[in-house]
Amino acid sequence: MKKSTIWLLTIVMAFAMIGLLFMQIMYMENMIKMRNEQFKEIVVRSMYSVTTMLEQNETKYYLDQDLKEASATYSIASDAITNDFNLPNDKVDTGLSVDEIKVPKRSNLSPIKDLNDSYQTKQEILKGQYLYQKGLLNEVILNILSQSSDRPISERADSATVREYLNTEFANNGLPQLPFGFAVVNKSSGIVYQSPEYSPDDVEDVYQQQLFHNDPEGKIYYLNVFFPTKSDYIFSTVKFMIPSFMFSFVLLVIFIFTIIVAFRQKKLTEMKNDFINNMTHEFKTPISSISIAAQMLNDDSVRKSPAMLKHVSTVINDETKRLRFQVEKVLQMSMFDRKNATMKPEEINADEIIYGVINTFKLKVEKYGGSIGATLESEDPIINVDKMHFTNVIFNLLDNAIKYRREDVPLELNVITSNPDEDHIKIVIEDNGIGIKREDLKKIFEKFYRVSTGNRHDVKGFGLGLAYVHKMVTLFGGTIKAESEVNKGTKFIILLPLIK
């Protein structure tokens, strides 16, 4: 798949995932907002009903008070009417019929006149009672308007009554049994009283309703209600959205992982193609040399000349070694596909192995006009590693230094060993080559990875050397790191455990 195709799919999928998440977030925000509005509407409606009932209670209170005060006066008036008309006390009522009224007999009045007098008497009684009731109501209203605000607010709005009314109204309006706290406050004097649950952290979480709308401005009180678990209640109504977010998040993670894997596979494919091209080039040269040497052996004149025969055999031997070394490098990397590499650890002297590899490379370094130095100063160089693989590690690092040398200055190679502590040996291999860029430095130990300079035709490789080195050092129980600056050189630092 082309890189442009992968990028196109990535962009399309990214827009789709972002759009999906955006729609889910907006939907949840709107739902939470709607739940908050519904909750507020229920609370405000319930609080308004509570204040209305408190006002009704106050009206009833003053009505009862006026009835008690007027009872004595009404009793005196009733006795006077009874005495004048010789009526029993239980007949003085607004519901008297004309037939029930017993008018005193007067011998000098006709029956028709007596009946008219009785009717007029009853009309007067009804009119008096109507005027009494009207006056009573007017007096109650006047008392409420003039005297009610003088009563203590704790009597007008008793805390137990307020809690009972709030519980009733919340239940009637569809709000579940939700913990709440309430308080009665005055803007000038502050909180008059409050319930133990009333402890708001934010003013916006408090719902407020005015009590007794007819009170003067200086004596206006408010009922505040606070719900400590309101957020949990709102969240519980929209928690069904959580699985949707979880599935979307899983899809997003899978999408990102898939894109990363796709790019890695693309990069790995490119590196493998480079590996095949480089391997073909590396194998082609020794195979061609061996083929030419074999053809020369078929010539009788070559076979008759001992010097020529020796030269041809030397070429065949050198190119065979070169080919075997390249094949060995490829085979070495087969262990990357296994969980455990085949190792034959043994006790060796690291300084002796390093010194032998340096002697092998000395002629090759001097061929390019360079020099190689060794400072083997470790007091304890005994380590437990696979001898062949350890030799290959040092060999690969020195071979890289020669490959990536600078053309404008003579090559300088230094190998230093020391004991930084009593448990480890430190091996430093440094050169003055072309160096490695910072962005490439953290990737040089990856399999098949080669820096851009390494792809030039004058420097060929498989991108396996440093990956092999890192793998082996790790299996030895040690660590390796690289330090480098462009056009100043590279330093590899290996730390291996000693035998104790």
Side-chain angles (χ1 to χ4, degrees):
M1 184 181 294
K2 294 182 179 180
K3 198 171 185 179
S4 59
T5 305
I6 297 177
W7 274 112
L8 179 62
L9 292 176
T10 302
I11 294 172
V12 173
M13 288 293 294
F15 273 111
M17 292 299 300
I18 292 173
L20 178 61
L21 289 174
F22 178 78
M23 290 180 63
Q24 288 180 334
I25 292 173
M26 291 299 297
Y27 178 76
M28 191 164 187
E29 286 183 353
N30 291 333
M31 182 168 289
I32 292 175
K33 184 178 179 180
M34 181 182 68
R35 296 293 187 188
N36 275 314
E37 292 296 331
Q38 291 177 345
F39 187 86
K40 180 179 179 181
E41 182 183 355
I42 292 174
V43 173
V44 171
R45 184 168 62 246
S46 300
M47 293 176 65
Y48 181 80
S49 298
V50 170
T51 59
T52 301
M53 287 190 290
L54 290 175
E55 290 180 342
Q56 292 174 353
N57 287 347
E58 187 164 78
T59 302
K60 182 176 179 295
Y61 168 81
Y62 278 103
L63 185 59
D64 291 341
Q65 289 293 108
D66 286 348
L67 286 175
K68 289 178 182 179
E69 292 174 1
S71 60
T73 305
Y74 183 80
S75 177
I76 294 172
S78 177
D79 292 341
I81 294 173
T82 303
N83 292 332
D84 289 341
F85 295 97
N86 294 321
L87 299 175
N89 290 334
D90 58 349
K91 295 299 180 179
V92 182
D93 192 4
T94 58
L96 291 175
S97 62
V98 177
D99 296 334
E100 290 176 333
I101 298 177
K102 297 181 179 180
V103 181
K105 295 181 180 180
R106 297 184 182 179
S107 57
N108 59 341
L109 296 177
S110 65
I112 296 176
K113 185 177 181 180
D114 292 340
L115 182 62
N116 289 335
D117 291 340
S118 297
Y119 179 77
Q120 289 178 359
T121 301
K122 182 179 179 183
Q123 288 290 88
E124 291 296 330
I125 292 172
L126 293 176
K127 183 178 179 180
Q129 288 193 341
Y130 168 77
L131 293 175
Y132 167 74
Q133 296 290 349
K134 180 179 179 182
L136 183 64
L137 291 175
N138 290 336
E139 186 176 356
V140 169
I141 295 172
L142 182 62
N143 288 338
I144 292 175
L145 292 175
S146 61
Q147 302 176 13
S148 61
S149 61
D150 296 331
R151 290 180 63 209
I153 190 65
S154 58
E155 295 181 5
R156 302 172 69 192
D158 178 70
S159 61
T161 304
V162 172
R163 179 182 292 276
E164 180 184 355
Y165 286 171
L166 286 173
N167 280 323
T168 303
E169 290 301 316
F170 288 155
N172 292 339
N173 286 286
L175 197 66
Q177 294 296 327
L178 204 61
F180 67 89
F182 65 93
V184 174
V185 300
N186 181 274
K187 288 186 176 181
S188 59
S189 58
I191 297 178
V192 178
Y193 68 82
Q194 65 183 37
S195 66
E197 303 87 354
Y198 186 80
S199 57
D201 298 326
D202 192 350
V203 179
E204 295 181 357
D205 295 333
V206 176
Y207 298 93
Q208 190 175 80
Q209 180 68 40
Q210 181 179 344
L211 294 173
F212 308 110
H213 293 76
N214 293 320
D215 286 354
E217 184 175 354
K219 297 182 179 181
I220 294 178
Y221 292 91
Y222 297 89
L223 174 62
N224 289 357
V225 177
F226 166 70
F227 295 88
T229 60
K230 171 191 169 184
S231 299
D232 296 336
Y233 169 72
I234 298 296
F235 177 75
S236 65
T237 61
V238 296
K239 64 182 179 181
F240 68 90
M241 290 288 296
I242 294 178
S244 176
F245 277 109
M246 292 179 60
F247 291 140
S248 297
F249 179 75
V250 171
L251 288 176
L252 180 61
V253 172
I254 294 175
F255 165 68
I256 295 174
F257 177 76
T258 303
I259 294 301
I260 293 174
V261 170
F263 277 106
R264 283 185 177 178
Q265 291 298 325
K266 176 68 177 175
K267 186 177 180 181
L268 185 61
T269 301
E270 293 174 353
M271 289 191 296
K272 284 185 176 181
N273 291 336
D274 291 339
F275 164 74
I276 294 172
N277 294 333
N278 290 332
M279 184 178 64
T280 303
H281 181 274
E282 293 284 348
F283 286 171
K284 184 177 180 180
T285 302
I287 290 174
S288 298
S289 299
I290 294 172
S291 178
I292 293 173
Q295 292 177 9
M296 292 177 65
L297 289 176
N298 291 327
D299 192 342
D300 292 336
S301 60
V302 174
R303 289 198 300 266
K304 292 177 181 180
S305 173
M308 185 61 85
L309 186 61
K310 182 179 179 181
H311 174 70
V312 172
S313 63
T314 301
V315 170
I316 293 175
N317 185 54
D318 291 342
E319 294 300 323
T320 303
K321 288 182 179 180
R322 180 180 175 185
L323 185 61
R324 184 172 62 249
F325 173 71
Q326 299 295 350
V327 172
E328 180 67 20
K329 290 182 69 175
V330 177
L331 293 177
Q332 286 170 358
M333 298 309 299
S334 63
M335 67 183 63
F336 278 92
D337 297 327
R338 308 174 191 171
K339 291 184 178 180
N340 295 311
T342 303
M343 303 286 290
K344 295 180 180 179
E346 56 181 301
E347 295 184 12
I348 64 169
N349 188 312
D351 286 350
E352 291 182 359
I353 300 298
I354 293 172
Y355 185 76
V357 177
I358 291 174
N359 283 336
T360 303
F361 265 85
K362 183 173 290 186
L363 293 176
K364 192 173 183 180
V365 172
E366 292 175 351
K367 175 183 176 181
Y368 295 104
S371 62
I372 183 170
T375 307
L376 308 179
E377 298 179 345
S378 57
E379 296 179 0
D380 186 359
I382 308 302
I383 55 178
N384 187 29
V385 296
D386 186 290
K387 183 177 180 180
M388 181 194 72
H389 288 301
F390 179 75
T391 304
N392 287 336
V393 166
I394 305 302
F395 185 91
N396 280 332
L397 293 176
L398 294 177
D399 187 54
N400 270 354
I402 295 174
K403 279 185 179 181
Y404 298 101
R405 67 189 182 279
R406 293 168 60 187
E407 300 294 340
D408 56 338
V409 296
L411 174 63
E412 293 183 4
L413 261 171
N414 289 302
V415 182
I416 305 170
T417 63
S418 61
N419 293 114
D421 54 58
E422 60 181 8
D423 297 323
H424 295 88
I425 183 173
K426 182 180 180 181
I427 304 170
V428 179
I429 300 175
E430 57 182 352
D431 61 62
N432 64 339
I434 61 175
I436 304 172
K437 296 179 181 179
R438 180 174 297 180
E439 57 267 23
D440 293 323
L441 195 60
K442 57 186 178 181
K443 302 178 183 179
I444 58 175
F445 296 117
E446 295 179 5
K447 187 169 62 171
F448 300 119
Y449 185 83
R450 301 180 73 244
V451 295
S452 57
T453 306
N455 287 328
R456 298 181 309 183
H457 292 292
D458 59 336
V459 180
K460 287 292 179 180
F462 301 150
L464 298 177
L466 291 180
Y468 167 75
V469 169
H470 183 269
K471 178 72 174 181
M472 287 297 100
V473 171
T474 302
L475 291 177
F476 295 158
T479 60
I480 181 172
K481 65 177 182 178
E483 300 175 357
S484 182
E485 291 186 38
V486 178
N487 293 326
K488 289 188 177 181
T490 304
K491 179 191 293 185
F492 288 94
I493 303 172
I494 300 175
L495 203 64
L496 293 175
L498 297 172
I499 294 179
K500 292 295 179 182

Short mmCIF file of all heavy atoms in Angstrom, two decimals, residues 138-181:
data_model
loop_
_atom_site.label_atom_id
_atom_site.label_comp_id
_atom_site.label_asym_id
_atom_site.label_seq_id
_atom_site.Cartn_x
_atom_site.Cartn_y
_atom_site.Cartn_z
N ASN A 138 -62.46 41.37 56.90
CA ASN A 138 -61.71 42.61 56.68
C ASN A 138 -60.68 42.83 57.78
O ASN A 138 -59.56 43.29 57.54
CB ASN A 138 -62.67 43.80 56.62
CG ASN A 138 -63.51 43.79 55.34
OD1 ASN A 138 -63.10 43.21 54.35
ND2 ASN A 138 -64.67 44.43 55.38
N GLU A 139 -61.09 42.48 59.02
CA GLU A 139 -60.16 42.64 60.13
C GLU A 139 -58.99 41.68 60.02
O GLU A 139 -57.84 42.03 60.31
CB GLU A 139 -60.92 42.43 61.45
CG GLU A 139 -60.06 42.73 62.68
CD GLU A 139 -60.85 42.61 63.97
OE1 GLU A 139 -62.08 42.36 63.89
OE2 GLU A 139 -60.24 42.74 65.04
N VAL A 140 -59.27 40.44 59.57
CA VAL A 140 -58.20 39.45 59.38
C VAL A 140 -57.21 39.93 58.33
O VAL A 140 -55.99 39.88 58.51
CB VAL A 140 -58.79 38.08 59.00
CG1 VAL A 140 -57.67 37.13 58.55
CG2 VAL A 140 -59.53 37.48 60.17
N ILE A 141 -57.72 40.42 57.21
CA ILE A 141 -56.85 40.92 56.14
C ILE A 141 -56.02 42.09 56.63
O ILE A 141 -54.81 42.19 56.35
CB ILE A 141 -57.69 41.31 54.91
CG1 ILE A 141 -58.36 40.06 54.32
CG2 ILE A 141 -56.83 42.00 53.87
CD1 ILE A 141 -59.35 40.37 53.22
N LEU A 142 -56.65 42.98 57.39
CA LEU A 142 -55.94 44.14 57.92
C LEU A 142 -54.84 43.71 58.89
O LEU A 142 -53.73 44.26 58.86
CB LEU A 142 -56.93 45.07 58.62
CG LEU A 142 -56.33 46.38 59.19
CD1 LEU A 142 -55.74 47.22 58.06
CD2 LEU A 142 -57.39 47.18 59.94
N ASN A 143 -55.14 42.72 59.73
CA ASN A 143 -54.12 42.22 60.66
C ASN A 143 -52.94 41.60 59.93
O ASN A 143 -51.79 41.76 60.32
CB ASN A 143 -54.75 41.21 61.62
CG ASN A 143 -55.66 41.86 62.63
OD1 ASN A 143 -55.54 43.07 62.90
ND2 ASN A 143 -56.60 41.09 63.18
N ILE A 144 -53.27 40.84 58.87
CA ILE A 144 -52.20 40.20 58.09
C ILE A 144 -51.29 41.26 57.47
O ILE A 144 -50.06 41.14 57.47
CB ILE A 144 -52.79 39.27 57.02
CG1 ILE A 144 -53.48 38.06 57.68
CG2 ILE A 144 -51.70 38.79 56.07
CD1 ILE A 144 -54.19 37.17 56.70
N LEU A 145 -51.90 42.29 56.92
CA LEU A 145 -51.11 43.33 56.25
C LEU A 145 -50.31 44.16 57.24
O LEU A 145 -49.21 44.63 56.92
CB LEU A 145 -52.03 44.23 55.43
CG LEU A 145 -52.70 43.58 54.21
CD1 LEU A 145 -53.68 44.56 53.56
CD2 LEU A 145 -51.67 43.11 53.20
N SER A 146 -50.84 44.38 58.44
CA SER A 146 -50.21 45.31 59.37
C SER A 146 -49.40 44.64 60.47
O SER A 146 -48.44 45.22 60.96
CB SER A 146 -51.28 46.22 60.00
OG SER A 146 -52.22 45.42 60.71
N GLN A 147 -49.77 43.43 60.87
CA GLN A 147 -49.16 42.82 62.04
C GLN A 147 -48.35 41.56 61.75
O GLN A 147 -47.52 41.17 62.58
CB GLN A 147 -50.23 42.47 63.08
CG GLN A 147 -51.05 43.66 63.54
CD GLN A 147 -52.15 43.25 64.49
OE1 GLN A 147 -52.15 42.12 64.99
NE2 GLN A 147 -53.09 44.15 64.75
N SER A 148 -48.58 40.92 60.61
CA SER A 148 -47.95 39.61 60.37
C SER A 148 -46.43 39.70 60.34
O SER A 148 -45.73 38.80 60.83
CB SER A 148 -48.47 39.01 59.06
OG SER A 148 -48.15 39.85 57.96
N SER A 149 -45.88 40.76 59.75
CA SER A 149 -44.43 40.87 59.65
C SER A 149 -43.77 41.07 61.00
O SER A 149 -42.54 40.94 61.11
CB SER A 149 -44.05 42.01 58.70
OG SER A 149 -44.55 43.25 59.19
N ASP A 150 -44.55 41.41 62.05
CA ASP A 150 -43.98 41.59 63.37
C ASP A 150 -43.77 40.27 64.10
O ASP A 150 -43.04 40.23 65.10
CB ASP A 150 -44.87 42.51 64.21
CG ASP A 150 -44.95 43.92 63.63
OD1 ASP A 150 -43.96 44.34 62.98
OD2 ASP A 150 -45.98 44.59 63.81
N ARG A 151 -44.44 39.23 63.65
CA ARG A 151 -44.26 37.91 64.27
C ARG A 151 -42.88 37.35 63.93
O ARG A 151 -42.35 37.57 62.85
CB ARG A 151 -45.33 36.93 63.79
CG ARG A 151 -46.72 37.21 64.31
CD ARG A 151 -47.68 36.17 63.75
NE ARG A 151 -47.34 34.83 64.22
CZ ARG A 151 -47.58 33.72 63.53
NH1 ARG A 151 -48.14 33.79 62.33
NH2 ARG A 151 -47.25 32.55 64.02
N PRO A 152 -42.24 36.60 64.84
CA PRO A 152 -40.94 35.97 64.54
C PRO A 152 -41.09 35.01 63.36
O PRO A 152 -42.06 34.27 63.25
CB PRO A 152 -40.60 35.23 65.84
CG PRO A 152 -41.41 35.89 66.89
CD PRO A 152 -42.68 36.34 66.23
N ILE A 153 -40.08 35.04 62.48
CA ILE A 153 -40.13 34.20 61.28
C ILE A 153 -40.10 32.72 61.64
O ILE A 153 -40.63 31.87 60.92
CB ILE A 153 -38.96 34.56 60.33
CG1 ILE A 153 -39.16 33.87 58.98
CG2 ILE A 153 -37.63 34.14 60.94
CD1 ILE A 153 -40.37 34.33 58.23
N SER A 154 -39.51 32.39 62.80
CA SER A 154 -39.49 30.99 63.23
C SER A 154 -40.87 30.47 63.56
O SER A 154 -41.12 29.26 63.52
CB SER A 154 -38.55 30.82 64.43
OG SER A 154 -38.98 31.66 65.49
N GLU A 155 -41.82 31.38 63.94
CA GLU A 155 -43.19 30.97 64.18
C GLU A 155 -43.99 30.95 62.89
O GLU A 155 -44.85 30.09 62.69
CB GLU A 155 -43.85 31.92 65.19
CG GLU A 155 -43.23 31.89 66.57
CD GLU A 155 -43.93 32.84 67.52
OE1 GLU A 155 -44.95 33.44 67.11
OE2 GLU A 155 -43.46 32.99 68.67
N ARG A 156 -43.73 31.91 62.03
CA ARG A 156 -44.47 31.98 60.77
C ARG A 156 -44.07 30.84 59.83
O ARG A 156 -44.89 30.34 59.06
CB ARG A 156 -44.22 33.32 60.09
CG ARG A 156 -44.60 34.50 60.94
CD ARG A 156 -44.15 35.81 60.33
NE ARG A 156 -44.88 36.12 59.11
CZ ARG A 156 -44.52 37.08 58.25
NH1 ARG A 156 -43.41 37.79 58.48
NH2 ARG A 156 -45.25 37.32 57.18
N ALA A 157 -42.78 30.47 59.86
CA ALA A 157 -42.29 29.38 59.01
C ALA A 157 -41.49 28.43 59.88
O ALA A 157 -40.25 28.49 59.92
CB ALA A 157 -41.45 29.93 57.85
N ASP A 158 -42.18 27.59 60.59
CA ASP A 158 -41.53 26.64 61.49
C ASP A 158 -40.69 25.64 60.69
O ASP A 158 -41.11 25.16 59.64
CB ASP A 158 -42.59 25.90 62.30
CG ASP A 158 -41.98 24.86 63.22
OD1 ASP A 158 -41.32 25.26 64.19
OD2 ASP A 158 -42.15 23.67 62.93
N SER A 159 -39.49 25.32 61.18
CA SER A 159 -38.57 24.46 60.42
C SER A 159 -39.14 23.07 60.17
O SER A 159 -38.99 22.51 59.09
CB SER A 159 -37.23 24.34 61.15
OG SER A 159 -37.41 23.76 62.43
N ALA A 160 -39.81 22.51 61.17
CA ALA A 160 -40.41 21.18 60.99
C ALA A 160 -41.50 21.23 59.93
O ALA A 160 -41.62 20.32 59.10
CB ALA A 160 -40.97 20.68 62.32
N THR A 161 -42.31 22.30 59.97
CA THR A 161 -43.37 22.44 58.97
C THR A 161 -42.79 22.62 57.57
O THR A 161 -43.27 22.03 56.59
CB THR A 161 -44.27 23.64 59.32
OG1 THR A 161 -44.78 23.47 60.64
CG2 THR A 161 -45.42 23.75 58.33
N VAL A 162 -41.75 23.43 57.46
CA VAL A 162 -41.11 23.67 56.16
C VAL A 162 -40.55 22.37 55.60
O VAL A 162 -40.72 22.05 54.42
CB VAL A 162 -40.00 24.73 56.29
CG1 VAL A 162 -39.20 24.83 55.00
CG2 VAL A 162 -40.61 26.09 56.64
N ARG A 163 -39.86 21.57 56.45
CA ARG A 163 -39.31 20.30 55.98
C ARG A 163 -40.42 19.36 55.52
O ARG A 163 -40.30 18.69 54.49
CB ARG A 163 -38.49 19.65 57.10
CG ARG A 163 -37.88 18.31 56.70
CD ARG A 163 -37.11 17.69 57.85
NE ARG A 163 -35.93 18.46 58.17
CZ ARG A 163 -34.76 18.32 57.54
NH1 ARG A 163 -34.65 17.45 56.54
NH2 ARG A 163 -33.72 19.03 57.90
N GLU A 164 -41.50 19.31 56.30
CA GLU A 164 -42.62 18.43 55.93
C GLU A 164 -43.22 18.85 54.59
O GLU A 164 -43.47 18.00 53.72
CB GLU A 164 -43.68 18.46 57.02
CG GLU A 164 -44.89 17.58 56.72
CD GLU A 164 -45.97 17.70 57.78
OE1 GLU A 164 -45.73 18.39 58.80
OE2 GLU A 164 -47.06 17.12 57.59
N TYR A 165 -43.44 20.15 54.43
CA TYR A 165 -44.02 20.64 53.17
C TYR A 165 -43.08 20.38 51.99
O TYR A 165 -43.53 20.00 50.89
CB TYR A 165 -44.31 22.14 53.28
CG TYR A 165 -45.52 22.47 54.13
CD1 TYR A 165 -45.81 23.79 54.48
CD2 TYR A 165 -46.37 21.47 54.60
CE1 TYR A 165 -46.91 24.10 55.26
CE2 TYR A 165 -47.47 21.79 55.39
CZ TYR A 165 -47.73 23.09 55.71
OH TYR A 165 -48.83 23.39 56.48
N LEU A 166 -41.77 20.60 52.20
CA LEU A 166 -40.80 20.35 51.11
C LEU A 166 -40.79 18.88 50.71
O LEU A 166 -40.80 18.55 49.52
CB LEU A 166 -39.40 20.79 51.54
CG LEU A 166 -39.14 22.31 51.60
CD1 LEU A 166 -37.79 22.59 52.21
CD2 LEU A 166 -39.23 22.93 50.20
N ASN A 167 -40.75 18.00 51.69
CA ASN A 167 -40.78 16.56 51.37
C ASN A 167 -42.03 16.20 50.58
O ASN A 167 -41.97 15.44 49.60
CB ASN A 167 -40.72 15.74 52.67
CG ASN A 167 -39.31 15.63 53.22
OD1 ASN A 167 -38.36 15.52 52.46
ND2 ASN A 167 -39.17 15.67 54.53
N THR A 168 -43.17 16.73 51.02
CA THR A 168 -44.43 16.42 50.35
C THR A 168 -44.45 16.93 48.91
O THR A 168 -44.82 16.21 47.98
CB THR A 168 -45.61 17.01 51.13
OG1 THR A 168 -45.60 16.52 52.47
CG2 THR A 168 -46.93 16.65 50.47
N GLU A 169 -44.03 18.17 48.73
CA GLU A 169 -44.07 18.77 47.39
C GLU A 169 -43.06 18.13 46.45
O GLU A 169 -43.35 17.92 45.27
CB GLU A 169 -43.83 20.28 47.48
CG GLU A 169 -44.98 21.04 48.12
CD GLU A 169 -46.27 20.83 47.36
OE1 GLU A 169 -46.26 20.88 46.11
OE2 GLU A 169 -47.31 20.61 48.00
N PHE A 170 -41.86 17.81 46.95
CA PHE A 170 -40.87 17.14 46.10
C PHE A 170 -41.39 15.78 45.62
O PHE A 170 -41.22 15.39 44.46
CB PHE A 170 -39.55 16.96 46.84
CG PHE A 170 -38.79 18.24 47.04
CD1 PHE A 170 -37.88 18.37 48.09
CD2 PHE A 170 -38.97 19.31 46.19
CE1 PHE A 170 -37.19 19.56 48.28
CE2 PHE A 170 -38.28 20.50 46.37
CZ PHE A 170 -37.38 20.62 47.41
N ALA A 171 -42.04 15.07 46.53
CA ALA A 171 -42.60 13.77 46.16
C ALA A 171 -43.76 13.92 45.17
O ALA A 171 -43.87 13.16 44.20
CB ALA A 171 -43.06 13.02 47.41
N ASN A 172 -44.61 14.92 45.38
CA ASN A 172 -45.76 15.14 44.48
C ASN A 172 -45.32 15.57 43.08
O ASN A 172 -46.03 15.31 42.10
CB ASN A 172 -46.71 16.19 45.07
CG ASN A 172 -47.41 15.69 46.32
OD1 ASN A 172 -47.51 14.48 46.55
ND2 ASN A 172 -47.89 16.61 47.15
N ASN A 173 -44.16 16.24 42.98
CA ASN A 173 -43.70 16.74 41.69
C ASN A 173 -42.72 15.80 40.99
O ASN A 173 -42.07 16.18 40.01
CB ASN A 173 -43.04 18.12 41.85
CG ASN A 173 -44.07 19.21 42.09
OD1 ASN A 173 -44.77 19.63 41.18
ND2 ASN A 173 -44.16 19.67 43.34
N GLY A 174 -42.62 14.60 41.48
CA GLY A 174 -41.83 13.60 40.77
C GLY A 174 -40.37 13.57 41.11
O GLY A 174 -39.59 12.87 40.44
N LEU A 175 -39.92 14.30 42.13
CA LEU A 175 -38.51 14.27 42.52
C LEU A 175 -38.31 13.15 43.54
O LEU A 175 -39.03 13.07 44.53
CB LEU A 175 -38.10 15.61 43.14
CG LEU A 175 -36.60 15.89 43.22
CD1 LEU A 175 -36.02 16.01 41.83
CD2 LEU A 175 -36.34 17.18 44.01
N PRO A 176 -37.36 12.27 43.31
CA PRO A 176 -37.17 11.13 44.23
C PRO A 176 -36.67 11.61 45.59
O PRO A 176 -36.38 12.79 45.79
CB PRO A 176 -36.12 10.28 43.51
CG PRO A 176 -35.39 11.25 42.65
CD PRO A 176 -36.40 12.25 42.21
N GLN A 177 -36.58 10.66 46.49
CA GLN A 177 -36.12 10.98 47.84
C GLN A 177 -34.64 11.35 47.78
O GLN A 177 -33.75 10.52 47.92
CB GLN A 177 -36.34 9.78 48.77
CG GLN A 177 -37.79 9.43 49.01
CD GLN A 177 -38.52 10.56 49.74
OE1 GLN A 177 -37.94 11.26 50.57
NE2 GLN A 177 -39.79 10.75 49.43
N LEU A 178 -34.40 12.63 47.59
CA LEU A 178 -33.04 13.14 47.43
C LEU A 178 -32.68 13.94 48.68
O LEU A 178 -33.47 14.79 49.11
CB LEU A 178 -32.97 14.03 46.19
CG LEU A 178 -31.61 14.20 45.51
CD1 LEU A 178 -31.07 12.87 45.03
CD2 LEU A 178 -31.72 15.18 44.34
N PRO A 179 -31.52 13.73 49.30
CA PRO A 179 -31.15 14.52 50.48
C PRO A 179 -31.08 16.01 50.14
O PRO A 179 -30.59 16.39 49.07
CB PRO A 179 -29.75 13.97 50.84
CG PRO A 179 -29.68 12.64 50.18
CD PRO A 179 -30.51 12.72 48.94
N PHE A 180 -31.58 16.82 51.05
CA PHE A 180 -31.54 18.26 50.83
C PHE A 180 -31.40 18.97 52.17
O PHE A 180 -31.72 18.43 53.23
CB PHE A 180 -32.80 18.76 50.11
CG PHE A 180 -34.07 18.64 50.90
CD1 PHE A 180 -34.49 19.67 51.74
CD2 PHE A 180 -34.85 17.48 50.83
CE1 PHE A 180 -35.65 19.56 52.48
CE2 PHE A 180 -36.01 17.36 51.57
CZ PHE A 180 -36.42 18.41 52.39
N GLY A 181 -30.90 20.18 52.09
CA GLY A 181 -30.83 21.05 53.25
C GLY A 181 -31.51 22.37 52.92
O GLY A 181 -31.58 22.76 51.76
#
